[in-house]
């Protein structure tokens, strides 16, 4: 490689103190700061004649960056991509589901390769399984005063306004469920930048003993949780896959013993199932086991219930649960059902009761994308729209933040010609509804009262369904664990 890539006629020189290497792909000079007396940054120094004696190689831990070959051993000890010690709350596959149920037959082919008869048979199974389901969800499009000023900011673009409307409605639904109050721990799954927790904190207005745990699989830039320095609010960010997260091992939760409220905005496919199992199976079950404690410890813990009763007498009863529960509620905006996975899916029992299994689930979750992408008419149009979606996701990733889960979609495949555009969209919505119904049944079996509702207008987001759940009073523990 030459010392610097050839630059087009008329190209400006690099900025003072910046790398002099011209990046052909980006049509500009590298913007990295260089060391005193150097012309090139460390990344491009290998291309410079003065650095020719030292060779740079790809980092074996992360090929996205390079390192001097003679400094590789030193670099591997401090590389940000090195494997770090696992925290106590990391338990391998604790929320993953059973391993012996992961196998999908090898004969599965893409939807575009199915014959017309095979696809018609799948659609018949789908419609039969969906008989009796309520296709019309209740509208719960709400708002909250905490976002009033932000929503009316004239500087907002279309994207910012769209996200604010969704956050305001989620916040309004949290308040309607009486989950927006003091002495709680809000766990935001697929937190991304942490904006949903940010608005919850603003709405709580310095309420007493409020904690936030933000769970995100990948490193995130421009986080907003680091800006919070309130006296009564504690923010803790965990970079971990939900699949391995054990909430009961988090020191903050084990020490404070606050009711947990699970929240999420556009929690993609498999991440939703992992989060549900993490909350109601892993965490709640462990708390209920600890709730079987000696009488002396129960008497000591009665203090918490007395404090709650005192708050209720002071007029705050609408924000205080009647009894302490490990999981006080769940409010999750659903997204990307085509990214679900049979092993992790919490509604397997529901599917089996309908005579369905891993094969049908595989095709239903693929066809669910027709609900939002079924308007494609030609493979050429499909390719164009797919490209636009990728650009949109790159520019506006918050819409689909889900802990880093990314699964290739069948959307670019040519769809069966015997179905009209409207039929494809209806089938896609039916697949989504059936998958969500399995989640509803799972939560009911675990002692919750779940519901599905529309929380925003489809013009704001096509992924506009909100899953909420409150514990049944009969299953609520009377004291803390």
């Amino acid at each position: 490689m030459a010392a610097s890539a050839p630059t087009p006629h008329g190209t400006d020189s690099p900025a003072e103190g910046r790398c002099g290497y011209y990046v052909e792909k980006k049509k500009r000079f590298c913007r990295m700061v260089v060391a005193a007396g150097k012309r090139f940054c460390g990344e491009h120094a290998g291309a410079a004649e003065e650095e020719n004696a030292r060779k740079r190689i790809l980092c074996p831990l992360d090929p996205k960056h390079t390192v001097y070959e003679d400094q590789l051993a030193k670099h591997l000890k401090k590389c940000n991509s090195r494997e770090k010690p696992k925290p106590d709350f990391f338990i391998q596959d604790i929320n993953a589901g059973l391993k012996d149920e992961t196998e999908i037959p090898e004969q599965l082919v893409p939807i575009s390769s199915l014959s017309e008869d095979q696809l018609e048979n799948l659609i018949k199974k789908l419609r039969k399984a969906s008989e009796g389901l309520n296709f019309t969800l209740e509208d719960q499009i709400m708002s909250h005063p905490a976002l009033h000023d932000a929503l009316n900011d004239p500087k907002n673009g279309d994207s910012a306004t769209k996200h604010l409307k969704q956050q305001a409605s989620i916040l309004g639904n949290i308040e309607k469920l009486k989950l927006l109050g003091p002495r709680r721990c809000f766990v935001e799954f697929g937190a991304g930048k942490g904006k949903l927790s940010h608005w919850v904190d603003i709405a709580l207005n310095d309420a007493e003993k409020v904690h936030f745990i933000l769970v995100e699989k990948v490193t995130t830039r421009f986080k907003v949780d680091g800006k919070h320095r309130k006296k009564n609010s504690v923010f803790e960010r965990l970079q971990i896959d939900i699949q391995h997260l054990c909430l009961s091992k988090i020191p903050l939760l084990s020490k404070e013993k606050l009711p947990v409220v699970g929240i999420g905005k556009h929690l993609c496919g498999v991440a939703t199932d992992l989060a549900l199992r993490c909350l109601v199976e892993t965490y709640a079950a462990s708390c209920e086991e600890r709730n079987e404690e000696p009488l002396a410890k129960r008497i000591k813990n009665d203090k918490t219930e007395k404090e709650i009763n005192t708050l209720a007498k002071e007029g705050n009863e609408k924000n205080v649960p009647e009894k302490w529960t490990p999981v006080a509620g769940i409010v999750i905006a659903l997204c990307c059902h085509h990214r679900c996975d049979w092993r992790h899916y919490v509604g397997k029992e529901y599917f089996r009761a309908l005579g369905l299994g891993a094969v049908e689930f595989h095709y239903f979750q693929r066809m669910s994308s027709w609900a939002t992408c079924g308007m494609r008419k030609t493979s050429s149009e499909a390719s164009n729209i797919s490209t636009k979606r990728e650009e949109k996701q790159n520019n506006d990733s918050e819409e689909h933040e889900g802990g880093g889960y990314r699964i290739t979609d069948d959307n670019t495949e040519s769809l069966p010609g015997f179905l009209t555009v409207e039929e494809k969209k209806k089938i896609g919505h039916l697949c989504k509804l059936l998958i969500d119904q399995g989640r509803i049944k799972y939560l009911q079996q675990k002692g919750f009262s779940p519901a599905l509702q529309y929380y925003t207008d489809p013009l704001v987001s096509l992924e506009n369904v909100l899953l909420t759940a409150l514990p049944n009073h009969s299953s609520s523990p009377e004291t803390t664990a």
Side-chain angles (χ1 to χ4, degrees):
M1 185 180 291
S4 62
T7 61
H9 181 71
T11 301
D12 294 333
S13 300
E16 185 177 354
R18 305 287 175 168
C19 180
Y21 185 85
Y22 187 80
V23 185
E24 183 64 33
K25 183 178 180 180
K26 297 183 178 180
K27 306 298 181 185
R28 62 167 174 78
F29 284 97
C30 172
R31 295 171 181 167
M32 293 293 290
V33 177
V34 297
K38 299 292 184 180
R39 182 185 172 194
F40 298 95
C41 68
E43 188 70 22
H44 298 121
E49 292 180 357
E50 63 266 31
E51 299 287 349
N52 201 30
R54 302 179 69 189
K55 181 181 178 182
R56 291 188 73 87
I57 60 174
L58 295 177
C59 174
L61 299 179
D62 182 4
K64 292 181 181 179
H65 66 272
T66 62
V67 61
Y68 284 118
E69 188 174 28
D70 57 3
Q71 291 186 341
L72 178 60
K74 182 179 178 181
H75 172 79
L76 292 177
K77 295 179 180 179
K78 62 180 182 180
C79 179
N80 289 332
S81 299
R82 71 189 186 281
E83 186 175 356
K84 302 175 180 64
K86 297 292 190 295
D88 291 339
F89 51 79
F90 179 99
I91 299 181
Q92 186 74 33
D93 293 332
I94 188 171
N95 303 312
L98 300 178
K99 288 186 177 181
D100 57 358
E101 296 178 343
T102 62
E103 295 298 324
I104 294 180
E106 295 181 1
Q107 68 267 24
L108 289 180
V109 296
I111 293 177
S112 58
S113 300
L114 293 175
S115 68
E116 188 170 314
D117 289 340
Q118 288 175 316
L119 189 57
E120 283 184 337
N121 186 46
L122 276 172
I123 294 173
K124 286 179 182 178
K125 288 185 176 181
L126 173 67
R127 287 175 172 154
K128 181 179 179 181
S130 304
E131 290 177 357
L133 292 184
N134 183 12
F135 296 96
T136 305
L137 304 183
E138 183 179 354
D139 281 333
Q140 290 292 341
I141 302 176
M142 308 183 75
S143 189
H144 195 279
L147 287 92
H148 180 269
D149 291 341
L151 282 166
N152 291 283
D153 189 342
K155 297 180 182 179
N156 288 338
D158 290 341
S159 177
T161 300
K162 175 187 70 173
H163 289 302
L164 287 168
K165 285 181 178 179
Q166 294 174 72
Q167 290 155 353
S169 183
I170 294 174
L171 200 57
N173 277 279
I174 293 174
E175 184 174 54
K176 182 182 177 183
L177 294 171
K178 299 181 180 180
L179 296 173
L180 196 63
R183 301 168 184 271
R184 284 172 174 78
C185 179
F186 292 87
V187 180
E188 183 179 356
F189 294 94
K193 299 174 186 176
K195 289 186 177 180
L196 182 55
S197 292
H198 164 78
W199 289 116
V200 171
D201 187 46
I202 296 296
L204 286 170
N205 193 24
D206 287 328
E208 183 182 0
K209 292 187 71 173
V210 176
H211 296 264
F212 293 90
I213 295 176
L214 285 71
V215 182
E216 179 58 66
K217 180 182 178 181
V218 298
T219 303
T220 306
R221 301 176 64 194
F222 310 117
K223 299 183 286 288
V224 298
D225 41 290
K227 301 177 182 178
H228 290 264
R229 296 290 185 271
K230 292 185 178 180
K231 181 179 179 181
N232 295 323
S233 298
V234 177
F235 278 77
E236 182 177 356
R237 180 174 283 267
L238 308 180
Q239 186 176 334
I240 185 173
D241 192 322
I242 306 170
Q243 182 170 330
H244 314 301
L245 174 61
C246 180
L247 289 176
S248 60
K249 296 287 186 179
I250 298 175
L252 187 151
L253 284 177
S254 60
K255 178 182 177 181
E256 298 292 341
K257 297 180 175 61
L258 296 173
V260 166
V261 179
I263 60 176
K265 175 177 176 287
H266 289 297
L267 195 58
C268 291
V270 62
T272 294
D273 296 302
L274 294 173
L276 292 178
R277 190 177 283 111
C278 176
L279 287 167
V280 307
E281 199 166 323
T282 305
Y283 180 64
S286 66
C287 289
E288 287 174 0
E289 288 176 4
R290 294 202 309 269
N291 212 39
E292 299 175 0
E293 54 193 10
L295 179 60
K297 190 175 180 181
R298 281 180 172 272
I299 294 173
K300 182 179 178 181
N301 285 334
D302 283 344
K303 180 181 177 182
T304 303
E305 189 169 359
K306 291 176 182 177
E307 289 176 351
I308 292 176
N309 292 335
T310 301
L311 282 174
K313 291 177 182 178
E314 293 175 356
N316 295 322
E317 60 268 26
K318 70 176 182 178
N319 290 327
V320 180
E322 293 180 5
K323 294 180 179 180
W324 186 90
T325 55
V327 179
I330 300 170
V331 181
I332 294 175
L334 304 174
C335 180
C336 297
H337 293 70
H338 64 273
R339 293 177 179 172
C340 290
D341 182 272
W342 175 250
R343 175 188 175 183
H344 305 309
Y345 181 52
V346 295
K348 290 195 285 285
E349 288 187 20
Y350 174 70
F351 260 61
R352 292 194 186 102
L354 295 172
L356 306 173
V359 174
E360 290 81 8
F361 179 84
H362 170 79
Y363 287 117
F364 291 168
Q365 55 105 349
R366 306 310 292 174
M367 291 191 293
S368 70
S369 63
W370 295 357
T372 54
C373 305
M375 62 292 297
R376 296 199 176 101
K377 298 179 181 178
T378 66
S379 58
S380 175
E381 289 175 357
S383 177
N384 291 336
I385 295 176
S386 177
T387 302
K388 290 179 180 178
R389 280 188 75 208
E390 290 177 3
E391 293 173 353
K392 176 179 180 296
Q393 289 179 348
N394 290 334
N395 296 329
D396 196 12
S397 60
E398 185 184 3
E399 179 74 18
H400 295 281
E401 290 171 345
Y405 295 96
R406 291 288 183 267
I407 301 177
T408 304
D409 191 7
D410 280 336
N411 290 337
T412 54
E413 298 184 44
S414 56
L415 301 178
F418 69 90
L419 295 171
T420 66
V421 170
E422 284 304 315
E423 285 174 336
K424 293 169 188 172
K425 290 175 68 175
K426 289 179 180 178
I427 290 170
H429 281 295
L430 205 56
C431 290
K432 283 177 173 283
L433 183 62
L434 190 65
I435 292 172
D436 288 338
Q437 189 63 26
R439 292 164 171 167
I440 292 291
K441 295 296 183 183
Y442 169 80
L443 288 168
Q444 288 174 342
Q445 291 174 357
K446 297 298 180 181
F448 284 78
S449 298
L452 296 169
Q453 54 263 312
Y454 294 121
Y455 78 101
T456 194
D457 191 282
L459 295 176
V460 174
S461 174
L462 291 174
E463 298 284 12
N464 62 339
V465 175
L466 188 71
L467 171 64
T468 63
L470 294 175
N472 296 328
H473 293 299
S474 59
S475 62
S476 300
E478 294 185 5
T479 58
T480 58

